Amino acid sequence: PPSPSHPIPIHHLPAMKLPAAALGALAALTAEGAKVVRRTALAEEPAVEEESCVGNQFPLDPSGFYHAEGLAPGEDLFSTTELQEFRAGLVDSADWIVPMKWTFRAKVTSTVNKTTVFGFTGGGGYMTIEVPALANGTEVEASAKVLSAATEATFAYREGPQLDGEDVTFTNVCLRPMLCSKAVSCNTTGWKEKLPANPARAGTSLAECCDEVNCPE
């Protein structure tokens, strides 16, 4: 006979049969637990990224990597060859005019342990970007009126330490005129959406982005 010092091995115990009702309840609990786990996983999924850069006019490769390593404040982010191509591209843009409003957006990564500042030069600077310390694929964006001609436009390292052995990298660059869809709403008395529809239409005023409603006489 079994005793406390000689218990029956588990594998010798008879199998237990649960009633059908208990089995059904266990199955329901298991299914509900799976739903909770799935809801939790979905809640932790990263948010969907913003729409692609409609109407991007960045003259260089938007998916390229542009490094600031070795720069001192006041120096251009782009190499001499890149800067020539950059300015030529803006010259070809009918929208790069003073004081048209444009937007610059990019993803940045930084090895610098303090905030660094980049932006366009001219007129005291515009479309200024603050790169957070030790940024890792952080999206940054700035909008402002153009303050320099295309032949003089440059994107430079504005403020921060000498980047010897440190780097700030820009990629996924979006440079475009301010879109009507971002600047104004045509659902205003006396105005309607301009036709034909164009998601890349640039403008910052009702006159640029909308059509007036002409009442029948």
Side-chain angles (χ1 to χ4, degrees):
S3 67
S5 59
H6 295 85
I8 299 175
I10 292 178
H11 62 273
H12 287 168
L13 290 174
M16 295 182 64
K17 294 184 179 181
L18 295 175
L23 288 172
L26 181 60
L29 286 172
T30 302
E32 184 62 26
K35 290 179 182 178
V36 171
V37 171
R38 176 165 174 75
R39 281 198 297 268
T40 302
L42 288 175
E44 293 175 353
E45 289 180 357
V48 177
E49 291 188 3
E50 188 188 347
E51 45 81 26
S52 60
C53 186
V54 176
N56 193 1
Q57 295 192 36
F58 184 61
L60 306 178
D61 179 7
S63 59
F65 290 86
Y66 303 96
H67 297 271
E69 183 176 7
L71 295 185
E75 294 185 315
D76 299 332
L77 177 66
F78 306 131
S79 68
T80 301
T81 301
E82 289 171 340
L83 183 58
Q84 291 175 346
E85 184 180 347
F86 180 75
R87 288 174 171 171
L90 293 183
V91 167
D92 291 338
S93 171
D95 296 313
W96 187 271
I97 52 176
V98 178
M100 184 75 171
K101 195 169 185 179
W102 279 58
T103 297
F104 177 93
R105 188 177 77 224
K107 285 190 175 181
V108 294
T109 298
S110 174
T111 64
V112 187
N113 62 3
K114 60 179 64 178
T115 300
T116 50
V117 180
F118 292 76
F120 285 83
T121 59
Y126 59 102
M127 280 191 278
T128 301
I129 296 291
E130 289 192 356
V131 178
L134 304 176
N136 184 15
T138 303
E139 186 170 274
V140 292
E141 181 174 332
S143 298
K145 293 180 178 179
V146 170
L147 298 177
S148 59
T151 54
E152 300 173 352
T154 183
F155 191 76
Y157 179 32
R158 303 297 303 277
E159 298 177 21
Q162 170 80 33
L163 297 180
D164 288 333
E166 303 284 0
D167 194 12
V168 179
T169 306
F170 287 75
T171 190
N172 288 21
V173 182
C174 176
L175 180 65
R176 64 186 178 189
M178 176 67 77
L179 300 184
C180 286
S181 59
K182 301 278 187 181
V184 300
S185 172
C186 296
N187 297 322
T188 302
T189 302
W191 298 90
K192 62 181 180 180
E193 295 290 339
K194 187 182 289 289
L195 296 176
N198 179 8
R201 178 173 287 114
T204 57
S205 68
L206 288 170
E208 292 172 317
C209 300
C210 315
D211 286 331
E212 288 189 79
V213 175
N214 296 317
C215 297
E217 298 181 356

